[in-house]
Amino acid sequence: MKKSKIFVGCMAGVMALTACSDRMDYNEYVVRDREQIIQTFERVGGFMTDIYNHIDYDFGQYYSGALLGSASDESQYAIMGNEIEDFYNGAWSPTNAKSTVWNDMYEGIAVCNVLLDEFQDLTFSDLVLNSDYRQQLYRYENYQWEARFARAYFYFVLARQYGGVPLVTHNQSYDITNALPRESSDSIFRFVIDECNFIEDSIIADYTDMGAMDMGANETGRADRLAVIALKARAALYWASPLFNPGNDRERYRLAAQYSKQLIDEATARGKHLATDYESLWATDNFNNPDIMCEIVFGRRVYGSETGGTSNTFESYNYPVGIEGGVGGNCPTQNLVDAYEFASGDSAGLRPAQLADYDPNKPYYEGRDPRFYVTIAKNGDESWPSYNTTPLQTYYGGLNAEPLTGGTPTGYYVKKYCHSAINLSSNSTYRADRHTWLTFRLGEFYLNYAEAMFRYTGDAYATSGDLSMSAAEAMNYTRRRVGMPDVPAGLSPDEFWEKYKNERMVELAFEGHRFWDVRRWREADRYFASIDEMKLTLNADNTITYRRETVSRRWENRMYLFPIPQTERMKNPNLSQNEGWN
């Protein structure tokens, strides 16, 4: 079978802006010519499916188990020598550019452009006599809006990482694409926001409520109107943040607050709300359980293979060493632990002598924000994971600790996103299950609104016109869900900002935000230049001694944005480099 124009066009668009990749398999449909592809709905649908395969997630697949959180103050990867260390040890450079996202996003953009340019206004004669012809055609007609959403999302991810990038909106030849200069970050963020404003009234509003047109349960994994509004709201907040808004244009914050409010209002009108049980958000049935779906706006379902199935990859990376199947993985830092307040609302980050409810025999552990106990595994925890019959020993020399390879260097292991019932023992029959990456959930947007509103008004308790909810009120939603007290009255702007950053770190821990949040705030010199670990020692009388140890990391301001990969600049001489990376 000869290579088709579509195959060549798609691959030229990809190769013009990416280095060589082993993800060039677009299945059989890519080796058909256009006339063959448009004959069937299934073949065209293959392009749409591949677009969703490029939505990013972070279960450790990019860095051999390490999350981006381990390049922030969220965690430390337990096994020395992992490439995640390049982010803070000086090995990061244009020739070691961590360019997987660049490659994946431009591959996805290329497929979007092929679908939008080559596969419109089709009628699929093969389906005309089928009883479900109307439903199938309705799916197809929505593809253009899904593709435009995905393309806008890919550009947001690129802007978040690189600032301005080349903007490619059509399936075009290699030589045209490889002469494109970078657009400004302002232009890319405007493109994303404008696309979302254009798409939101046309894309399917709600796949779960299609009336007589039953689209099937699997369709709930596709982007709908709320996903588009969520992308617009998140992009607007990033665009308003200091990294991309050095002039502090407050109007951008107002827009970000309005868009987050739009999402919250429309989600509420659809019956959505925060899930009652915070821990359930990463449960195995979060994609079809109404009590969890009520909060999830859009999630990337992650399977064990290209054809579907289940996976235990995240668990195998992150279960404690010393347990069959566990290798240690991404170990929460003391910085993250300190972000969890006591249930009274007192800051855990204060020194112990200042805390009335501090127990020196059980430091950092008792009476904490409930999110602590479902996110972080600590010394003495029982049944973690569920098949472990011995309480965790994270003190030096313990069953799950240093000096074992992979023993936690911080004193903690991660629970969040791990499905504790997955049993990695060699004789287990339950070794994998479904995982869903929470791309957008309602809890994030209460916090996004709080941040935008605070930055716009300069006050935690102020409202403005149609923005009738204050920043403090918005933040109370995530706190009340877990039984934490409301934001206190009378906080100064500086006090509220610190409390907000803690709340965001806690609520969204390990969901792929911290690495980017600290960058867009331009506060990395404060948070990423070192991390704190907790070293535990078992004494002869069976008490534990706790010693905080600060570990220095390398931070340079050029690291706020990634370097443009040198391989791309060699192909395109019009690609300028980000500041400091030449």
Side-chain angles (χ1 to χ4, degrees), residues 250-251 253-254 257 451-458 464 467:
R250 290 174 59 246
E251 178 64 14
Y253 283 115
R254 184 185 67 81
E451 181 177 340
M453 191 64 179
F454 171 67
R455 290 301 203 184
Y456 173 56
T457 64
S464 176
L467 300 173

Side-chain angles (χ1 to χ4, degrees), residues 156-199:
F156 162 74
V157 171
L158 287 166
R160 176 181 69 182
Q161 185 156 312
Y162 296 101
V165 294
L167 184 62
V168 185
T169 58
H170 290 286
N171 183 33
Q172 60 195 26
S173 67
Y174 178 95
D175 56 336
I176 294 174
T177 300
N178 256 15
L180 291 175
R182 297 172 65 186
E183 300 286 339
S184 68
S185 60
D186 286 350
S187 295
I188 300 299
F189 280 115
R190 286 194 190 102
F191 171 80
V192 172
I193 293 168
D194 289 347
E195 280 285 277
C196 290
N197 278 323
F198 188 81
I199 297 164

Side-chain angles (χ1 to χ4, degrees), residues 278 332-352 355-379 381 410-412 415 478-479 481-485 499 502-503 505-506 534 546 548:
Y278 173 77
T333 62
Q334 189 62 40
N335 311 67
L336 176 59
V337 171
D338 286 346
Y340 291 86
E341 298 173 359
F342 285 87
S344 62
D346 287 333
S347 171
L350 296 173
R351 288 307 181 197
L355 298 174
D357 48 5
Y358 172 75
D359 181 350
N361 295 315
K362 296 180 179 179
Y364 312 106
Y365 294 171
E366 299 299 320
R368 298 293 283 271
D369 182 324
R371 290 169 291 191
F372 172 79
Y373 303 103
V374 298
T375 304
I376 295 174
K378 53 183 172 50
N379 185 63
D381 276 359
T410 67
Y412 308 98
K415 286 184 175 180
T478 55
R479 295 175 65 81
R481 185 242 297 275
V482 294
M484 290 296 290
K499 197 169 192 71
N502 260 25
E503 179 67 18
M505 190 178 191
V506 163
M534 185 58 67
Y546 300 83
R548 183 186 296 259

Side-chain angles (χ1 to χ4, degrees), residues 274-283 291-292 295 340 369-375 416 438 441 443 478 481-482 503-511:
L274 298 188
T276 302
D277 180 6
Y278 173 77
E279 184 180 10
S280 72
L281 286 168
W282 53 95
D291 292 332
I292 311 171
E295 180 168 347
Y340 291 86
D369 182 324
R371 290 169 291 191
F372 172 79
Y373 303 103
V374 298
T375 304
K416 192 169 184 177
L438 304 180
R441 65 176 177 90
T478 55
R481 185 242 297 275
V482 294
E503 179 67 18
R504 189 173 179 93
M505 190 178 191
V506 163
E507 174 70 18
L508 302 177
F510 297 107
E511 293 183 37

Side-chain angles (χ1 to χ4, degrees), residues 116-149:
L116 290 167
D117 285 354
E118 304 291 344
F119 299 133
Q120 298 305 302
D121 302 317
L122 305 179
T123 57
F124 302 110
S125 59
D126 64 310
L127 295 180
V128 170
L129 298 180
N130 290 11
S131 60
D132 64 348
Y133 177 68
R134 187 166 65 97
Q135 289 95 323
Q136 298 285 43
L137 198 61
Y138 193 69
R139 278 190 180 94
Y140 160 72
E141 290 170 347
N142 195 59
Y143 283 172
Q144 63 180 306
W145 310 117
E146 292 180 77
R148 289 182 69 164
F149 159 80

